[in-house]
Amino acid sequence: MAQPLSQLPTPNSQLIVKFGIIVFPGSNCDRDVVYVTRDLLGQPTRTIWHEETDLDDVDVVVVPGGFSYGDYLRCGAIARFSPIMKAVVAHAKQGKYVLGICNGFQVLTEAGLLPGALVRNRDMHFICDRVPLHVESTDSIWTQGYNNTEISLPIAHGEGCYHADPETLDRLEANGQVLFRYAGTNPNGSLNNIAGICNETKNVIGMMPHPERAADPLLGRADGLQLFKNLI
Amino acid sequence: MIDLSLSDRYIYNYHKVEGFSLKQKYQARIYVTLRPSVLDPAGTAVQSGLAHMGYTDVESVRIGKYIEVSLSATDETEAHKQLDVMCDQLFANPVIENYRVELGDGS
């Protein structure tokens, strides 16, 4: 499964940032992320099979969307114990960047890298849609380049309802850890309309919307590209 | 040599340091339920199904998980200790769920 680091030319960037995309059994958005970081942004990118244990060559870890381990027991609950996760936790503890998208967000909450949990959507439906989002704070590497506070990204999830106890929610709000909020109708019942959060040190982010699915202008609005560009 | 047919209730487990130790088989029943503060849309949907059946007096339905685990441990305390870790870390997510463990004889 693992691919060698590709060294494509990077004409527009000053820095080479190496991306590592974790692949669990059941991940299905990994290649979309590779397309963004390698093909659109020209950064060295490799996929990392979940049985690997070494992330030392990687600057940014992406835990992609999908249905790791068939979503059995709880979304992300089993993936959290995959061998690679020890390295992902260590990577995060060193202050390096970790991005969890959709199922990746669920995995990061299960692993304790982000607070709260994602539970069944309020209305029971699996939602596949494009939704307006409010960029709550540009005071993070992930959101720094967003000049428009209102963006639009696709969502596709059955368990995207963000839940946390009131104290945790207060802390998230007070620390500016809520990075994305659903701007229109709350699609899934998430508390405080939360669509994406980061940890206290802001190096780990989890979001239910899919920035990688809105990154190529050929496919319409590309509001997700900035999030990846911000890292380079 | 040990006659393993003496009892199928015990597993003879060889440890280099401790020599032979006895482990007993247990059967655990684990109930995982959503914390009261967490909405249960699945339960609400089932409740509406019950209402269509005619059971309009049902006040609420909450859906949880039931898990059976067969394991061996030196004693009941040790088994409970292991199961609590399993529940805290995997079977349940303490952020949204509670759990209860019932331990029975697994022989």
Side-chain angles (χ1 to χ4, degrees), chain A residues 73-74 80 110 121-122, chain B residues 41-42 65 89-91 93:
Chain A
L73 195 62
R74 282 184 317 280
R80 175 248 166 125
E110 284 285 342
N121 291 348
R122 175 194 53 214
Chain B
K65 296 186 187 99
Q89 296 195 13
L90 185 58
F91 291 134
N93 180 343

Side-chain angles (χ1 to χ4, degrees), chain A residues 22-44:
Chain A
I22 312 288
V23 184
F24 297 106
S27 295
N28 65 11
C29 301
D30 41 311
R31 276 176 278 186
D32 288 357
V33 179
V34 171
Y35 176 72
V36 175
T37 59
R38 176 190 289 168
D39 299 334
L40 292 179
L41 297 175
Q43 299 302 306

Side-chain angles (χ1 to χ4, degrees), chain A:
Chain A
M1 292 298 289
Q3 300 167 351
L5 287 173
S6 76
Q7 299 285 344
L8 292 173
T10 54
N12 298 321
S13 64
Q14 287 111 20
L15 221 108
I16 304 247
V17 177
K18 295 176 204 136
F19 286 84
I21 324 298
I22 312 288
V23 184
F24 297 106
S27 295
N28 65 11
C29 301
D30 41 311
R31 276 176 278 186
D32 288 357
V33 179
V34 171
Y35 176 72
V36 175
T37 59
R38 176 190 289 168
D39 299 334
L40 292 179
L41 297 175
Q43 299 302 306
T45 299
R46 74 173 178 110
T47 51
I48 302 166
W49 183 235
H50 73 116
E51 284 176 355
E52 290 189 40
T53 52
D54 189 358
L55 282 171
D56 283 352
D57 61 327
V58 166
D59 301 312
V60 180
V61 171
V62 183
V63 188
F67 300 84
S68 59
Y69 291 90
D71 277 352
Y72 292 151
L73 195 62
R74 282 184 317 280
C75 305
I78 304 175
R80 175 248 166 125
F81 288 101
S82 272
I84 194 64
M85 285 308 292
K86 270 190 186 152
V88 173
V89 171
H91 187 88
K93 299 283 181 219
Q94 288 165 37
K96 297 182 190 168
Y97 298 120
V98 179
L99 161 63
I101 303 166
C102 198
N103 187 224
F105 185 9
Q106 295 162 340
V107 173
L108 295 183
T109 58
E110 284 285 342
L113 288 177
L114 291 170
L118 284 313
V119 297
R120 196 82 72 97
N121 291 348
R122 175 194 53 214
D123 301 326
M124 286 291 284
H125 304 134
F126 185 98
I127 310 168
C128 190
D129 205 353
R130 190 177 261 271
V131 295
L133 294 169
H134 200 262
V135 183
E136 287 295 306
S137 159
T138 49
D139 183 26
S140 81
I141 185 157
W142 312 100
T143 50
Q144 58 185 354
Y146 280 103
N147 297 319
N148 273 343
T149 53
E150 195 95 347
I151 62 169
S152 164
L153 289 179
I155 55 169
H157 57 246
E159 287 87 1
C161 173
Y162 184 77
H163 182 92
D165 60 58
E167 296 76 35
T168 306
L169 282 175
D170 288 347
R171 209 171 55 240
L172 287 174
E173 297 288 358
N175 295 344
Q177 288 174 249
V178 178
L179 297 183
F180 298 104
R181 229 185 278 274
Y182 298 110
T185 317
N186 185 334
N188 52 27
S190 283
L191 294 177
N192 293 22
N193 298 323
I194 285 172
I197 57 165
C198 61
N199 64 347
E200 249 174 272
T201 42
K202 302 195 174 181
N203 59 309
V204 180
I205 181 181
M207 57 194 297
M208 289 314 293
H210 286 270
E212 82 283 11
R213 292 191 190 176
D216 190 336
L218 274 176
L219 299 174
R221 273 180 78 166
D223 292 351
L225 188 61
Q226 187 62 47
L227 186 135
F228 295 96
K229 271 187 175 170
N230 283 338
L231 297 160
I232 301 168

